[in-house]
Amino acid sequence: DLHVHTESSADCLTPYGEVIRWAQRRQLDALAITDHNTIEGALVVSAMSPLRIIVGEEVRTTRGEIIGLFLREEIPALLSPAETVRVIRRQGGLVYIPHPMDRVGRCALQLGALKEIIKEVHIIETLNARVIFPLDNRRAEELARSYGLPGGAGSDAHQGFEIGRAYLEMPAFTDAGSFLESVRRGKVRGRLSSPLVHVGSTYAKFAKGLMALAPSAK
């Protein structure tokens, strides 16, 4: 599962341990932790998990979201897409474009921006389990095919039970280079989650906002 969130994301309440438990329950061998604008959760889960954890980050750029995989350092939000890609690649990471054709969410990378950086992209997400309209995933698959890029899959889980809803069945890998080769030989698997999962992430964002406003206990 190449797209998973933890409690380190502003719109997720899933504890780190629950992420691992659900991944094991779904019989996943590896997991990419891709919290919004931070690698903190990925580092924590990596340190405690018996599963292979890919350190990732779903970065908000000035024109939509880009995921970096195999990161060593956190990438700041609100850089341009081109600069975000440069920072990802500078540290040996892979550029992964999530939900590129999602017509409902406001976070998809703008198509004009994607075309500007397409030569630097490694993987396009062709199955995102949180996309509401199946056609949007099919259009993402067509987009990847038109540029000769491999397709990835992720649940985009913000709640534990979503983990493994979409995943890539692929050969084993040891590093970013062999991972990319395995992705090219991989098969996208899974299905869409219920649109109701968005209620959970909306609640999480609201609850965290309230907690941030609450006065600290003394």
Side-chain angles (χ1 to χ4, degrees), residues 95 97 114 118-124 126 140-141 143-152 180 183-184:
V95 179
I97 305 299
L114 176 57
I118 194 65
K119 291 183 180 179
E120 304 297 322
V121 171
H122 295 101
I123 307 165
I124 288 180
T126 57
E141 187 176 356
L143 179 71
R145 190 181 302 115
S146 70
Y147 286 108
L149 291 170
L180 186 56
V183 169
R184 293 192 180 106

Side-chain angles (χ1 to χ4, degrees), residues 126-129 152-155 164-170 186-192:
T126 57
L127 176 56
N128 178 294
S155 64
R165 191 79 175 182
Y167 61 95
L168 200 61
E169 193 175 83
M170 55 190 281
K187 296 181 180 179
V188 170
R189 305 291 192 195
R191 60 191 187 279
L192 295 184

Side-chain angles (χ1 to χ4, degrees), residues 54-71:
I54 299 167
V55 175
E57 180 184 351
E58 188 167 26
V59 187
R60 181 185 176 193
T61 78
T62 55
R63 299 173 70 184
E65 291 179 335
I66 296 173
I67 286 177
L69 299 175
F70 293 91
L71 300 180

Side-chain angles (χ1 to χ4, degrees), residues 37-134:
N37 307 311
T38 180
I39 62 171
E40 178 184 0
L43 294 175
V44 172
V45 175
S46 180
M48 63 189 295
S49 176
L51 305 177
R52 178 72 182 268
I53 301 298
I54 299 167
V55 175
E57 180 184 351
E58 188 167 26
V59 187
R60 181 185 176 193
T61 78
T62 55
R63 299 173 70 184
E65 291 179 335
I66 296 173
I67 286 177
L69 299 175
F70 293 91
L71 300 180
R72 299 192 303 270
E73 299 177 3
E74 191 166 289
I75 301 169
L78 297 179
L79 299 176
S80 70
E83 181 60 21
T84 300
V85 166
R86 277 194 290 272
V87 176
I88 292 171
R89 293 183 69 107
R90 193 181 302 147
Q91 54 183 291
L94 300 178
V95 179
Y96 179 94
I97 305 299
H99 42 67
M101 307 301 286
D102 183 8
R103 74 187 83 174
V104 176
R106 298 179 181 179
C107 299
L109 186 66
Q110 296 172 16
L111 281 181
L114 176 57
K115 290 178 180 178
E116 291 171 10
I117 64 167
I118 194 65
K119 291 183 180 179
E120 304 297 322
V121 171
H122 295 101
I123 307 165
I124 288 180
E125 188 172 67
T126 57
L127 176 56
N128 178 294
R130 277 193 155 223
V131 165
I132 292 177
F133 297 102

Side-chain angles (χ1 to χ4, degrees), residues 166-186:
Y167 61 95
L168 200 61
E169 193 175 83
M170 55 190 281
F173 59 92
T174 56
D175 55 17
S178 62
F179 174 86
L180 186 56
E181 287 301 315
S182 292
V183 169
R184 293 192 180 106
R185 297 163 57 192

